[in-house]
Amino acid sequence: IYLGMYERETLGAWPSLVEPGDLALDIGANIGAHTLPLARLVGESGKVIAFEPTAFAYDKLCRNLHLNPEQARHVEAYQIMLLDTGDLHTKHLGALRATAGTSAATLDGFLARAGIGRVDIIKLDVDGFECSVLKGAAHTLRRHRPLIVMELAPYVFGATGGTLSDLIAILADAGYLLETLGSWKRLPMAESDLRARWIPDGASMTVIARPSGLPPPAPGRDSLLLI
């Protein structure tokens, strides 16, 4: 991360996608490898809201924000797991409760309670729980039409209660298209075509989900300390 080798493609794309003043959401922020570059790009008039549910990573995220005060001024970090419901678990039917410092919420509910009036871009990296997060963000997608940068890894969906086809359907219903990151080539909105031509078994691919009708970005413009 310190040498800029981690997820170079995504890091290199941010300047083309993020503008000063943007409101960015880092969902699955981990230790802040993208939170901090996003904070630098949104600048004085922008904000990054970072969500990381695991105590181990959240503690490191907070430490890395402390080490980078210039960027930290533009970041709000929350130890929250974003889901599709605030009520009952779909399998064991237990009510969601805070545990080990983590609470649960839908993205729509969180933004409404926080009085957030717009969202420009979302980085989504939640290891197969994308369907759950996006189901809980239906209002956000319809109203704010943010760009979404996410990693597609079909092999991780089986254990999380969703499928790649489910994810594609959620995005299509919200009026989104899929593109390659950086070259902005249109991707097929069908799991079989994606697997056959773009994402072989066991592989992953970082993509952008763009509201239909929104043109691709123009080319953009860039020390962070991380523990």
Side-chain angles (χ1 to χ4, degrees):
I1 294 174
Y2 179 78
L3 295 175
M5 304 296 289
Y6 177 74
E7 297 190 353
R8 294 179 66 181
E9 180 186 29
T10 306
L11 288 171
W14 287 136
S16 296
L17 299 171
V18 181
E19 298 181 355
D22 276 355
L23 190 290
L25 305 181
D26 189 353
I27 302 174
N30 204 280
I31 69 170
H34 292 284
T35 309
L36 292 167
L38 287 170
R40 173 181 285 167
L41 290 169
V42 301
E44 292 291 333
S45 58
K47 180 187 292 186
V48 178
I49 302 177
F51 301 91
E52 173 51 48
T54 65
F56 177 81
Y58 180 75
D59 289 345
K60 292 184 181 298
L61 169 63
C62 292
R63 175 61 175 160
N64 286 328
L65 290 172
H66 176 75
L67 290 170
N68 295 273
E70 285 300 311
Q71 284 71 43
R73 293 189 299 116
H74 315 306
V75 177
E76 294 180 6
Y78 296 91
Q79 191 182 354
I80 292 177
M81 178 179 290
L82 295 176
L83 300 172
D84 57 346
T85 176
D87 299 319
L88 299 182
H89 191 281
T90 56
K91 292 188 182 298
H92 57 61
L93 301 182
L96 295 169
R97 294 289 185 268
T99 175
T102 303
S103 58
T106 66
L107 182 60
D108 286 344
F110 174 89
L111 296 177
R113 288 189 294 273
I116 303 297
R118 92 173 194 279
V119 177
D120 298 295
I121 189 164
I122 295 173
K123 190 227 83 181
L124 182 60
D125 186 359
V126 289
D127 298 325
F129 287 92
E130 287 82 2
C131 290
S132 181
V133 172
L134 293 178
K135 284 179 181 177
H139 178 74
T140 299
L141 299 187
R142 288 196 307 270
R143 180 181 179 188
H144 302 299
R145 316 299 288 160
L147 295 175
I148 306 171
V149 175
M150 72 179 83
E151 182 181 26
L152 289 186
Y155 66 92
V156 302
F157 279 94
T160 61
T163 67
L164 180 56
S165 290
D166 293 334
L167 176 61
I168 293 170
I170 292 169
L171 292 171
D173 288 346
Y176 277 73
L177 304 172
L178 289 175
E179 297 175 345
T180 58
L181 188 67
S183 56
W184 322 120
K185 294 179 180 178
R186 283 281 302 277
L187 291 168
M189 297 290 284
E191 178 173 0
S192 58
D193 293 337
L194 277 172
R195 285 180 174 271
R197 297 182 54 195
W198 295 93
I199 315 176
D201 189 46
S204 64
M205 179 183 185
T206 303
V207 303
I208 182 168
R210 180 189 310 283
S212 58
L214 188 68
R221 45 186 195 285
D222 148 344
S223 210
L224 300 174
L225 300 173
L226 293 106
I227 58 175

